[in-house]
Amino acid sequence: MAPRANWKGFLRLSLVTCPVALYPATSESEKISFNQLNRQTGHRIKYLKVDADTGDEVPNEDIVKGYELDKGQYIEVTKEELEEIALESTRTIEIDEFVDKSDIDPRYLIRPYYIRPDGKVGHDAFAVIRETIREMDKVAIGRVVLTNREHIIALEPMDKGLVGTLLRYPYEVRSEQEYFDEIQDVKVTKDMLDLARHIVNQKAGRFEPEKFEDHYETALIDLINQKRAGKPITPKSKPAATNVVDLMEALRRSVGKEAAPAKAGKPAKKGRKASAGQKEMLMPIEGKKPKEAAAKKPSAKPQRKSA
């Protein structure tokens, strides 16, 4: 089943325009989620929208938006009034400027979306915009309205499409000074830096997301499978705290600890692919028999549902 677009409209660079669709590039729907239950009956908890004063349930058609001026005093805003102030970016991603990727503070990044042409027309204009951004080695900055709010969006080419990352506004980013001002100025010696560099070099590698595993998700799956099988749940022992208080000694021990596996001559353990491993562990929860689970190995990149 084809993913459903979160937004459809037009991408515009000056007078060059093409219809596009925007899709979420990430999803958390595959994670374990819980429902709230009534401990006495085992039934799910249902939430009702009620009047705060009377306690009566209020139907959706009688619910309006309101901005609180003072305690208990609100200004009502209707759906029609909100539509009246709809921005051009509700229907169009207008590219305003081009910047270097290194200029974008990572604190401003929110979430990524995939952008592709919508329908059979506009592919030529889309390709022109995409290849211009790629050729200039820049990031295009535009605006788009999602969930009734305007967002800044940074556009970058990826393969045949574009990735658009929503950005925060300056008022949404807290100043680091209120958190960092009380950090003490410490003189780090060359010996300490040399030992720390040695640890970094021993741990050096490439960024390979496919080898990451969500250990908490794995623990949740194991917990659910054990409870489903009626097995007793025994708490795991917590790691003992180390007594090393001397920083130089801790660095020296760390160097020895990281070097130990290399001296043993054992091959490095390959990280399992999180998506495939997680899917395999989820099979018992989904009701598949062990033989069926073994026969049907999950693909390396299972198709994800769109959010």
Side-chain angles (χ1 to χ4, degrees), residues 193-212:
L193 280 176
D194 288 342
L195 286 169
R197 281 197 206 97
H198 194 67
I199 296 169
V200 172
N201 289 332
Q202 289 174 324
K203 286 181 170 287
R206 293 178 59 84
F207 180 69
E208 299 174 1
E210 64 272 10
K211 71 181 181 182
F212 297 160

Side-chain angles (χ1 to χ4, degrees), residues 41 70 87-88 107 130 167 182 211 246-247 257 264:
T41 65
D70 294 307
L87 303 168
E88 177 64 19
R107 292 177 298 176
R130 180 196 65 212
L167 303 178
E182 295 182 9
K211 71 181 181 182
D246 182 86
L247 183 55
K257 178 183 176 183

